[in-house]
Amino acid sequence: EADIYQTPRYLVIGTGKKITLECSQTMGHDKMYWYQQDPGMELHLIHYSYGVNSTEKGDLSSESTVSRIRTEHFPLTLESARPSHTSQYLCASSEKPSPDTQYFGPGTRLTVL
Amino acid sequence: AQKVTQAQTEISVVEKEDVTLDCVYETRDTTYYLFWYKQPPSGELVFLIRRNSFDEQNEISGRYSWNFQKSTSSFNFTITASQVVDSAVYFCALSGRSGTYKYIFGTGTRLKVLA
Protein backbone atom coordinates (compact mmCIF):
# COMPACT_ATOMS: atom_id res chain seq x y z
CA GLU A 1 0.00 0.00 0.00
CA ALA A 2 1.30 3.43 -0.95
CA ASP A 3 1.71 6.41 1.33
CA ILE A 4 0.48 9.47 -0.52
CA TYR A 5 0.18 12.88 1.01
CA GLN A 6 -1.75 15.86 -0.21
CA THR A 7 -1.67 19.38 1.16
CA PRO A 8 -3.63 21.35 1.92
CA ARG A 9 -6.65 19.19 2.73
CA TYR A 10 -8.97 22.18 2.47
CA LEU A 11 -8.43 25.49 0.73
CA VAL A 12 -10.73 28.48 0.38
CA ILE A 13 -9.36 31.19 -1.85
CA GLY A 14 -10.47 34.23 -3.80
CA THR A 15 -10.79 34.52 -7.55
CA GLY A 16 -7.60 35.33 -9.41
CA LYS A 17 -5.19 33.85 -6.90
CA LYS A 18 -2.43 31.48 -7.92
CA ILE A 19 -2.50 28.17 -6.04
CA THR A 20 -0.42 25.03 -5.92
CA LEU A 21 -1.78 21.74 -4.66
CA GLU A 22 0.93 19.47 -3.33
CA CYS A 23 1.14 15.71 -3.77
CA SER A 24 3.96 13.51 -2.54
CA GLN A 25 4.42 9.76 -2.30
CA THR A 26 7.06 7.80 -0.45
CA MET A 27 6.89 4.48 -2.29
CA GLY A 28 9.06 5.40 -5.26
CA HIS A 29 6.18 4.88 -7.68
CA ASP A 30 6.90 5.98 -11.25
CA LYS A 31 3.32 6.80 -12.22
CA MET A 32 1.32 9.61 -10.70
CA TYR A 33 -2.12 10.99 -11.51
CA TRP A 34 -4.42 13.92 -10.76
CA TYR A 35 -8.18 13.49 -10.78
CA GLN A 36 -10.91 16.10 -10.40
CA GLN A 37 -14.13 15.11 -8.69
CA ASP A 38 -17.24 17.10 -7.90
CA PRO A 39 -18.83 15.95 -4.60
CA GLY A 40 -20.17 12.42 -4.89
CA MET A 41 -19.60 12.39 -8.62
CA GLU A 42 -17.39 10.42 -10.97
CA LEU A 43 -13.66 10.99 -11.17
CA HIS A 44 -12.07 12.65 -14.17
CA LEU A 45 -8.39 12.25 -15.03
CA ILE A 46 -6.85 15.67 -15.66
CA HIS A 47 -3.09 14.97 -15.63
CA TYR A 48 -0.73 12.03 -15.38
CA SER A 49 2.97 11.32 -15.36
CA TYR A 50 4.91 8.16 -16.08
CA GLY A 51 8.15 9.43 -14.64
CA VAL A 52 10.42 12.40 -14.06
CA ASN A 53 10.05 15.11 -16.72
CA SER A 54 7.08 13.27 -18.22
CA THR A 55 3.60 14.81 -17.99
CA GLU A 56 0.47 14.35 -20.07
CA LYS A 57 -2.99 15.83 -20.11
CA GLY A 58 -5.83 13.56 -19.13
CA ASP A 59 -9.27 12.99 -20.55
CA LEU A 60 -10.84 16.09 -18.99
CA SER A 61 -9.54 19.42 -20.17
CA SER A 62 -8.16 21.46 -17.30
CA GLU A 63 -6.64 24.91 -16.96
CA SER A 64 -4.23 23.57 -14.38
CA THR A 65 -0.62 22.60 -15.04
CA VAL A 66 1.64 20.02 -13.43
CA SER A 67 5.34 19.31 -13.12
CA ARG A 68 7.39 16.22 -12.25
CA ILE A 69 10.91 17.19 -11.32
CA ARG A 70 11.29 14.54 -8.64
CA THR A 71 9.85 11.04 -8.58
CA GLU A 72 8.07 11.56 -5.30
CA HIS A 73 6.54 14.97 -6.02
CA PHE A 74 3.73 15.90 -8.45
CA PRO A 75 2.33 19.39 -7.76
CA LEU A 76 -0.66 20.88 -9.55
CA THR A 77 -0.86 24.62 -10.17
CA LEU A 78 -3.70 26.96 -11.07
CA GLU A 79 -2.34 30.31 -12.25
CA SER A 80 -5.59 32.18 -11.72
CA ALA A 81 -8.28 30.43 -9.71
CA ARG A 82 -11.93 30.81 -10.69
CA PRO A 83 -15.18 29.62 -9.06
CA SER A 84 -15.46 26.96 -11.78
CA HIS A 85 -12.32 25.37 -10.31
CA THR A 86 -14.17 24.58 -7.10
CA SER A 87 -13.90 20.82 -6.72
CA GLN A 88 -12.06 18.00 -4.99
CA TYR A 89 -8.65 17.13 -6.40
CA LEU A 90 -7.32 13.62 -5.81
CA CYS A 91 -3.76 12.51 -6.40
CA ALA A 92 -2.81 8.87 -7.01
CA SER A 93 0.29 6.82 -7.74
CA SER A 94 1.11 3.36 -9.02
CA GLU A 95 4.11 1.25 -9.83
CA LYS A 96 5.36 0.29 -13.24
CA PRO A 97 4.79 -1.83 -15.20
CA SER A 98 1.19 -1.79 -16.30
CA PRO A 99 -1.26 -2.94 -15.26
CA ASP A 100 -1.13 -1.52 -11.82
CA THR A 101 -3.24 -0.60 -8.85
CA GLN A 102 -3.59 3.10 -8.15
CA TYR A 103 -3.38 4.26 -4.56
CA PHE A 104 -4.99 7.56 -3.68
CA GLY A 105 -4.17 10.41 -1.39
CA PRO A 106 -6.72 12.01 0.96
CA GLY A 107 -7.64 14.74 -1.54
CA THR A 108 -7.77 18.53 -1.49
CA ARG A 109 -11.16 20.24 -1.35
CA LEU A 110 -10.78 23.54 -3.16
CA THR A 111 -13.33 26.34 -2.94
CA VAL A 112 -12.84 29.45 -5.04
CA LEU A 113 -15.00 32.39 -4.03
CA ALA B 1 -14.20 1.84 -26.38
CA GLN B 2 -14.21 1.06 -22.70
CA LYS B 3 -17.08 1.81 -20.37
CA VAL B 4 -18.14 1.06 -16.81
CA THR B 5 -21.76 1.29 -15.74
CA GLN B 6 -22.94 1.44 -12.16
CA ALA B 7 -26.68 1.72 -12.63
CA GLN B 8 -27.50 2.05 -8.93
CA THR B 9 -27.03 5.68 -8.01
CA GLU B 10 -27.98 5.28 -4.36
CA ILE B 11 -28.92 2.35 -2.14
CA SER B 12 -30.25 2.48 1.41
CA VAL B 13 -30.30 -0.56 3.66
CA VAL B 14 -30.84 -1.21 7.32
CA GLU B 15 -27.88 -2.39 9.35
CA LYS B 16 -27.24 -6.15 9.13
CA GLU B 17 -28.88 -6.45 5.75
CA ASP B 18 -26.89 -7.84 2.82
CA VAL B 19 -26.42 -5.53 -0.15
CA THR B 20 -25.05 -6.03 -3.66
CA LEU B 21 -23.54 -3.26 -5.75
CA ASP B 22 -23.63 -3.86 -9.48
CA CYS B 23 -20.87 -3.12 -11.99
CA VAL B 24 -21.16 -3.83 -15.72
CA TYR B 25 -18.27 -3.13 -18.05
CA GLU B 26 -17.53 -2.97 -21.77
CA THR B 27 -14.16 -3.58 -23.36
CA ARG B 28 -12.67 -5.13 -26.47
CA ASP B 29 -9.47 -6.08 -24.69
CA THR B 30 -8.91 -9.75 -24.00
CA THR B 31 -6.79 -8.89 -20.98
CA TYR B 32 -8.14 -6.30 -18.60
CA TYR B 33 -8.37 -5.48 -14.91
CA LEU B 34 -11.26 -4.55 -12.68
CA PHE B 35 -11.15 -2.69 -9.40
CA TRP B 36 -13.41 -1.61 -6.57
CA TYR B 37 -12.74 1.44 -4.41
CA LYS B 38 -14.54 2.83 -1.39
CA GLN B 39 -14.87 6.57 -0.82
CA PRO B 40 -16.04 7.38 2.72
CA PRO B 41 -17.30 10.87 3.64
CA SER B 42 -13.73 11.93 4.43
CA GLY B 43 -13.03 11.86 0.69
CA GLU B 44 -10.10 9.54 0.09
CA LEU B 45 -10.43 6.55 -2.22
CA VAL B 46 -9.62 3.28 -0.51
CA PHE B 47 -8.56 0.35 -2.67
CA LEU B 48 -10.62 -2.80 -2.05
CA ILE B 49 -9.84 -5.32 -4.76
CA ARG B 50 -8.25 -5.89 -8.15
CA ARG B 51 -9.23 -8.73 -10.45
CA ASN B 52 -7.75 -9.69 -13.81
CA SER B 53 -9.81 -11.04 -16.68
CA PHE B 54 -8.23 -14.48 -16.56
CA ASP B 55 -9.29 -15.14 -13.00
CA GLU B 56 -13.00 -15.72 -12.65
CA GLN B 57 -12.82 -17.13 -9.17
CA ASN B 58 -15.02 -15.32 -6.74
CA GLU B 59 -13.28 -13.75 -3.78
CA ILE B 60 -14.29 -13.28 -0.18
CA SER B 61 -12.65 -10.99 2.32
CA GLY B 62 -14.45 -10.89 5.62
CA ARG B 63 -17.90 -9.42 5.00
CA TYR B 64 -16.99 -8.46 1.45
CA SER B 65 -17.32 -10.71 -1.58
CA TRP B 66 -16.96 -10.18 -5.30
CA ASN B 67 -18.63 -12.05 -8.14
CA PHE B 68 -16.86 -11.79 -11.50
CA GLN B 69 -18.74 -13.13 -14.52
CA LYS B 70 -17.18 -12.63 -17.94
CA SER B 71 -20.26 -14.04 -19.65
CA THR B 72 -22.32 -11.09 -18.46
CA SER B 73 -19.42 -8.59 -18.21
CA SER B 74 -20.18 -7.99 -14.58
CA PHE B 75 -18.11 -7.58 -11.43
CA ASN B 76 -20.57 -7.25 -8.57
CA PHE B 77 -19.72 -6.48 -4.96
CA THR B 78 -21.67 -7.84 -2.00
CA ILE B 79 -21.46 -6.66 1.59
CA THR B 80 -22.84 -9.18 4.06
CA ALA B 81 -24.37 -8.01 7.34
CA SER B 82 -23.84 -4.35 6.49
CA GLN B 83 -22.69 -1.87 9.12
CA VAL B 84 -23.05 1.88 9.44
CA VAL B 85 -19.30 2.21 8.74
CA ASP B 86 -19.93 0.75 5.28
CA SER B 87 -21.75 3.95 4.32
CA ALA B 88 -19.75 5.42 1.46
CA VAL B 89 -19.64 5.87 -2.28
CA TYR B 90 -18.28 2.79 -4.04
CA PHE B 91 -16.58 3.02 -7.42
CA CYS B 92 -15.90 0.28 -9.93
CA ALA B 93 -13.06 0.83 -12.42
CA LEU B 94 -11.69 -0.85 -15.54
CA SER B 95 -8.13 -0.81 -16.89
CA GLY B 96 -7.00 -2.27 -20.17
CA ARG B 97 -4.43 -1.99 -22.92
CA SER B 98 -6.73 -0.18 -25.36
CA GLY B 99 -6.99 2.61 -22.81
CA THR B 100 -3.24 2.54 -22.15
CA TYR B 101 -4.15 1.15 -18.74
CA LYS B 102 -5.67 4.38 -17.51
CA TYR B 103 -8.65 3.83 -15.26
CA ILE B 104 -12.19 4.11 -16.55
CA PHE B 105 -14.37 4.76 -13.53
CA GLY B 106 -18.06 4.16 -13.13
CA THR B 107 -20.22 6.94 -11.75
CA GLY B 108 -20.29 5.36 -8.30
CA THR B 109 -23.01 3.98 -6.03
CA ARG B 110 -23.78 5.76 -2.78
CA LEU B 111 -24.54 3.26 -0.04
CA LYS B 112 -26.36 4.41 3.08
CA VAL B 113 -26.54 1.96 5.94
CA LEU B 114 -29.09 3.00 8.52
CA ALA B 115 -28.83 2.04 12.17
Side-chain angles (χ1 to χ4, degrees), chain B residues 50 60 75 83 91:
Chain B
R50 162 181 154 168
I60 298 175
F75 186 43
Q83 300 176 1
F91 289 94

Side-chain angles (χ1 to χ4, degrees), chain A residues 9 18 25 28 35 39 44 46 48 51 55-56 60 63 66 69 71 73 76 81-82 84 92 97 106 109:
Chain A
R9 290 295 311 279
K18 177 180 179 179
Q25 49 94 6
Y35 291 87
H44 297 284
I46 52 174
Y48 61 98
T55 61
E56 302 285 344
L60 180 69
E63 295 169 344
V66 293
I69 299 173
T71 298
H73 194 214
L76 180 146
R82 296 208 301 268
S84 61
R109 292 186 190 270

Side-chain angles (χ1 to χ4, degrees), chain A residues 40-55:
Chain A
M41 304 292 284
E42 62 190 299
L43 288 85
H44 297 284
L45 181 67
I46 52 174
H47 298 283
Y48 61 98
S49 167
Y50 286 170
V52 172
N53 295 324
S54 156
T55 61

Side-chain angles (χ1 to χ4, degrees), chain A residues 37 45 98-99 101-102 109, chain B residues 33 37 39 50 101-103:
Chain A
Q37 182 190 31
L45 181 67
S98 296
T101 298
Q102 293 184 23
R109 292 186 190 270
Chain B
Y33 301 81
Y37 285 84
Q39 187 174 40
R50 162 181 154 168
Y101 295 108
K102 295 195 290 288
Y103 277 19

Side-chain angles (χ1 to χ4, degrees), chain B:
Chain B
Q2 297 183 312
K3 185 179 180 182
V4 174
T5 300
Q6 294 181 257
Q8 304 153 309
T9 304
E10 184 169 315
I11 302 174
S12 291
V13 299
V14 177
E15 207 170 17
K16 298 184 183 178
E17 284 186 1
D18 299 348
V19 58
T20 295
L21 310 182
D22 297 334
C23 174
V24 174
Y25 62 91
E26 296 176 27
T27 181
R28 293 181 179 178
D29 293 326
T30 54
T31 302
Y32 52 89
Y33 301 81
L34 297 162
F35 305 82
W36 276 96
Y37 285 84
K38 173 183 179 180
Q39 187 174 40
S42 52
E44 76 274 21
L45 258 73
V46 178
F47 167 70
L48 296 177
I49 191 171
R50 162 181 154 168
R51 178 51 50 99
N52 74 54
S53 54
F54 292 103
D55 183 2
E56 289 194 69
Q57 278 194 341
N58 292 329
E59 183 157 339
I60 298 175
S61 177
R63 295 184 298 108
Y64 294 171
S65 62
W66 291 269
N67 183 303
F68 176 34
Q69 291 197 347
K70 287 180 74 171
S71 60
T72 56
S73 297
S74 65
F75 186 43
N76 296 337
F77 173 32
T78 297
I79 301 174
T80 302
S82 59
Q83 300 176 1
V84 173
V85 293
D86 295 327
S87 297
V89 181
Y90 291 85
F91 289 94
C92 181
L94 167 70
S95 171
R97 185 172 183 172
S98 63
T100 60
Y101 295 108
K102 295 195 290 288
Y103 277 19
I104 305 299
F105 280 96
T107 51
T109 296
R110 182 179 298 278
L111 174 64
K112 293 184 177 179
V113 181
L114 308 172

